[in-house]
Amino acid sequence: TNQRITLLHLEKRFESSITLPDDKSTQIKLKGFIDRVDRAGDIIRIIDYKTGLVDSKELTFNSWETFVDSPVRGKAFQVLMYA
């Protein structure tokens, strides 16, 4: 289908704080830049351009422990935060 694409942001600075469900006194600040945000029809899309090779193994994990303990999961963390 032909959908109109509307550019919303380029190099958008993103900053947000989240509170842990089990510990209301702990807040975690997330910040960074999103390469592109646009709208295609009714869908908002977040696009992160990668200049190097991305191995699909870097985007998957089987348990939270392997996710948080692995330094090569940075790209997976980005995808998780966008979601």
Side-chain angles (χ1 to χ4, degrees):
T1 66
N2 291 333
Q3 291 183 338
R4 181 184 189 111
I5 295 176
T6 305
L7 179 62
L8 302 175
H9 302 285
L10 288 174
E11 289 295 321
K12 172 73 173 164
R13 179 168 171 69
F14 171 83
E15 187 171 314
S16 183
S17 294
I18 60 171
T19 303
L20 299 177
D22 296 339
D23 181 3
K24 301 290 184 198
S25 64
T26 301
Q27 282 202 339
I28 299 172
K29 181 185 270 189
L30 304 170
K31 63 181 182 174
F33 288 88
I34 299 172
D35 294 336
R36 177 186 171 118
V37 181
D38 65 27
R39 178 182 290 122
D42 294 332
I43 298 172
I44 301 280
R45 305 184 309 177
I46 297 172
I47 300 168
D48 184 28
Y49 299 107
K50 296 295 179 205
T51 56
L53 178 65
V54 178
D55 187 340
S56 63
K57 290 182 230 168
E58 296 175 23
L59 299 176
T60 60
F61 56 95
N62 294 324
S63 70
W64 182 251
E65 288 75 23
T66 49
F67 175 68
V68 297
D69 291 338
S70 176
V72 299
R73 297 292 193 259
K75 293 176 183 88
F77 184 78
Q78 281 182 309
V79 172
L80 181 62
M81 290 304 102
Y82 294 156

